Amino acid sequence: MSVNDPSLSNRDLAPTTQAQRTWGFYNYTALWFSMCMEITTYQLASSLIAKGMELEAGDRTVLLGNLIVLVPMLLNAHAGAKYGIPFPVFIRAPFGVRGANLAAILRAVVACGWFGIQSWIGGTAIHAMLSVIWPGAADNKGILWACFLSFWLLNMVIVWRGVESIRRLQAFGAPFMFVMALALVIWVRVRPAVLARCFPRRAGSTRLANFLPSSSRHSQRWWGTGQRWL
């Protein structure tokens, strides 16, 4: 094996310098918050309510899933955040030089799959908003696919511009999502009829039956999202 083997060391695998480490506490917090508040979180919470959970129980289940997966994510990211070591290099410690390639590829496959899922959800959200403005677009599959590809392309532009563009986007997006979520909560709370229709009280309880699998499913969703960004 050559000492200058590019598979061992190259520009992408080299540790980042202190000047390149521009992510601070706020940036990591904004990233975590944005990943907590994404659309799949709302989908999971709404599915728990649809299965019979009360609003408060569903919220606590989602929160627990976020907190559980936060611990291994912090442990996994510590070396990279402190020493600037990329994941393919860090994973060489347990997997070896060649085995790390397999771990990195598996991680990339999960990231690609989850990126496609997120892009499809984003595209359908754009299509839903467009259908409100233009009802004729509701049943048009071509427009739906155009929305998906547009959302995918927007993400690719941000990713292609590098990690700094993601940092700036998260710095703006996290407080914006918080303000919009708070506005949505206030809007629902001041309309009791809407609140009762969206979150009906059901007889009996299905908390225990849904609690563990839902927490696990939310943790798995977090893992897929983490692979996409990390």
Side-chain angles (χ1 to χ4, degrees), residues 126-140 142-144 146-147:
I126 295 176
H127 181 254
M129 292 186 290
L130 185 61
S131 299
V132 174
I133 303 173
W134 179 25
D139 298 324
N140 192 315
I143 295 178
L144 174 60
C147 292

Side-chain angles (χ1 to χ4, degrees), residues 2 17-18 38 44 53 56 77 96 103 124 131 140 166 185 212:
S2 173
T17 64
Q18 285 291 344
E38 63 180 355
L44 177 59
M53 268 195 178
E56 295 81 4
T124 55
S131 299
N140 192 315
I166 298 175
V185 170
L212 292 178

